[in-house]
Amino acid sequence: MDARAIIATLRKGGTPDAAALAWFAQGLADGSVSDAQAGAFAMGVCLNGLGDTGRAALTAAMRDSGKVLRWDLDAPVLDKHSTGGVGDCVSLILAPALAACGVYVPMISGRGLGHTGGTLDKLESIPGFRTTLTEDQFRQVVSKVGCAIVSASADIAPADKRLYAIRDVTATVESLDLITASILSKKLAAGLEGLVLDVKCGSGAFMKSQDDARALARALVDTANATGCPTSALITDMSQPLASSLGNALEVIDVMRVLTGAASGRLLDLTVALGGALLEQAGIGDGTKKIAQAIASGAAAEKFGAMVYAMGGPVHFVQDWVRFLPEAPVIREVTATTSGTVTTIDGEALGLTVVALGGGRQVETDVVNPSVGLSDVVSIGDRVTKGHPLVRIHAARESQADEAELAVRAAITLGDGTASPPKLVLEHIT
């Protein structure tokens, strides 16, 4: 095999065969393919595409470039992936709810990206919680508790880690084929027997339009199924934050309120929809009812507490979570300057506000402040009067709260008349 020949095939609009793509992925992983060749490959795929067969072959090749887990358990091994949004903390509820339904969830997750929060960052706001486990530790927690949410080890899809870094500096991130292969190679390396995808669209998502979200969902579902993992997707609305809070500890608060029966709303509804679809896809009937019951009964909260303790967190976290989560020193209410109806919310702007507060990373080496963010965010369709709170800012300093207030006011639009809350689940892709 020759990297130059593979790149030339792409340049001419052809698709390298599965063997060539497997060779190239291994070269990415072991360093025998240079950065220049990797960049040229990414640009070739970005410009000319791979087609359905090539996309599936690249995904499998990147999955197989490192460790692929195998499980010997007494129930299905299932997982969920979200394409990212603001206030999206579904994984923290869904993983233990699925475990409470008797399946296993070895969830490999990521950190914040751009304006969206990261599942690992949220969990690390819990004192002592370790998202980095050895493979043996990971297996033990999954086997004993039923779920574990961890970071990817260096030997999980190493070809993706290398190619992603190169795509980031070569303006080739926005390729449907490369996005699909990147997402799925890491997920499928976990040895899954079923996967549900939450593909978001709207102001707080990477995909702003439903058409773009549908194209990505279709590519992900078709590719995952072609590589042997039964997969479906929900296209869901992200025209406003999913939870009422944005920020790491603040989202964990929202999670705990749902798990302990103190809150409902969009966060609970989407968790139930995704979990139900995944269980039913795996042949487990009444999946939606089972997930809802697991949460309502407290069984999901019990599993969450067991996972937290098994991964280094406090033993009584579920019983006394308020005591353990950090609180920002500056909390400021932003109130409406006029009466009206909430018509639009710029979710991306709110997400970037949290990043500016220190709740996300502007460069990879930034240290995240788990206590900062936004809470009690209004929803589209809410009728507010002058002086009514639109959001609460949680900041480390008054000056940061000042800047955040300006951004929040610009991101939330009030209008006359009424506005209908958007539908949460827009499509189901199978």
Side-chain angles (χ1 to χ4, degrees), residues 32 40 87 151 211 220 231 295 299 324 328 341 373:
S32 58
S151 60
D211 285 345
L220 287 165
T231 301
I295 297 169
F324 291 110
T341 300

Side-chain angles (χ1 to χ4, degrees), residues 338-344 379-385 413-421:
T338 185
S339 298
T341 300
V342 180
T343 56
T344 60
S379 298
I380 292 174
D382 284 356
R383 180 71 184 174
V384 300
T385 56
T413 303
L414 300 183
D416 296 327
T418 60
S420 298

Side-chain angles (χ1 to χ4, degrees), residues 67-424:
K67 179 81 174 181
V68 179
L69 300 178
R70 299 284 184 258
W71 301 92
D72 183 18
L73 298 168
D74 57 1
V77 177
L78 308 176
D79 199 3
K80 159 261 178 190
H81 176 78
S82 168
T83 57
V86 290
D88 179 9
C89 40
V90 165
S91 292
L92 278 64
I93 305 170
L94 182 55
L98 287 166
C101 292
V103 302
Y104 294 93
V105 189
M107 187 176 286
I108 297 175
S109 292
R111 301 194 178 277
L113 180 64
H115 65 278
T116 66
T119 297
L120 301 180
D121 298 322
K122 294 165 193 176
L123 286 168
E124 287 174 353
S125 67
I126 300 171
F129 194 100
R130 294 176 293 116
T131 59
T132 302
L133 301 180
T134 66
E135 183 182 332
D136 284 346
Q137 290 170 333
F138 184 33
R139 289 182 178 279
Q140 287 170 11
V141 176
V142 170
S143 177
K144 181 179 179 182
V145 177
C147 62
I149 304 175
V150 300
S151 60
S153 63
D155 57 359
I156 292 289
D160 174 65
K161 185 175 183 180
R162 174 104 185 280
L163 187 59
Y164 190 92
I166 289 167
R167 287 167 57 208
D168 195 36
V169 297
T170 56
T172 54
V173 170
E174 295 178 2
S175 157
L176 195 64
D177 293 331
L178 296 179
I179 290 170
T180 299
S182 179
I183 290 172
L184 291 179
S185 61
K186 294 188 289 288
K187 279 292 175 183
L188 300 182
L192 304 179
E193 297 170 299
L195 176 65
V196 67
L197 299 158
D198 180 6
V199 181
K200 298 188 174 297
C201 65
S203 67
F206 289 106
M207 297 295 183
K208 304 302 182 188
S209 76
Q210 191 170 337
D211 285 345
D212 287 344
R214 186 184 301 112
L216 177 57
R218 186 78 268 164
L220 287 165
V221 168
D222 290 349
T223 301
N225 280 293
T227 55
C229 180
T231 301
S232 63
L234 301 185
I235 299 177
T236 68
D237 174 72
M238 186 42 73
S239 59
Q240 59 184 332
L242 182 60
S244 64
S245 300
L246 291 76
N248 297 302
L250 295 171
E251 290 185 49
V252 174
I253 289 172
D254 279 8
V255 164
M256 296 314 302
R257 293 181 70 232
V258 170
L259 284 172
T260 56
S264 55
R266 292 189 300 272
L267 179 58
L268 173 60
D269 292 345
L270 184 54
T271 302
V272 170
L274 287 163
L278 182 57
L279 289 178
E280 288 165 16
Q281 174 185 282
I284 300 172
D286 291 327
T288 300
K289 184 178 180 180
K290 283 183 168 64
I291 290 289
Q293 287 178 335
I295 297 169
S297 69
E302 185 177 339
K303 287 290 186 181
F304 185 79
M307 181 183 74
V308 167
Y309 180 60
M311 296 178 69
V315 63
H316 296 303
F317 181 76
V318 170
Q319 292 78 14
D320 202 12
W321 52 269
V322 175
R323 180 167 70 89
F324 291 110
L325 292 171
E327 184 174 303
V330 178
I331 301 176
R332 179 186 301 180
E333 218 171 56
V334 179
T335 58
T337 57
T338 185
S339 298
T341 300
V342 180
T343 56
T344 60
I345 297 176
D346 187 338
E348 182 173 357
L350 293 183
L352 291 172
T353 299
V354 174
V355 174
L357 285 167
R361 298 172 184 81
Q362 302 193 49
V363 295
E364 190 175 346
T365 54
D366 282 350
V367 176
V368 170
N369 182 339
S371 69
V372 301
L374 308 173
S375 70
D376 304 287
V377 181
V378 291
S379 298
I380 292 174
D382 284 356
R383 180 71 184 174
V384 300
T385 56
K386 183 178 179 180
H388 186 280
L390 299 174
V391 65
R392 284 185 175 86
I393 296 169
H394 301 248
R397 298 189 299 275
E398 291 285 354
S399 59
Q400 290 179 318
D402 292 340
E403 294 175 5
E405 181 171 348
L406 293 174
V408 165
R409 291 193 181 281
I412 299 174
T413 303
L414 300 183
D416 296 327
T418 60
S420 298
K423 186 179 178 182
L424 182 57

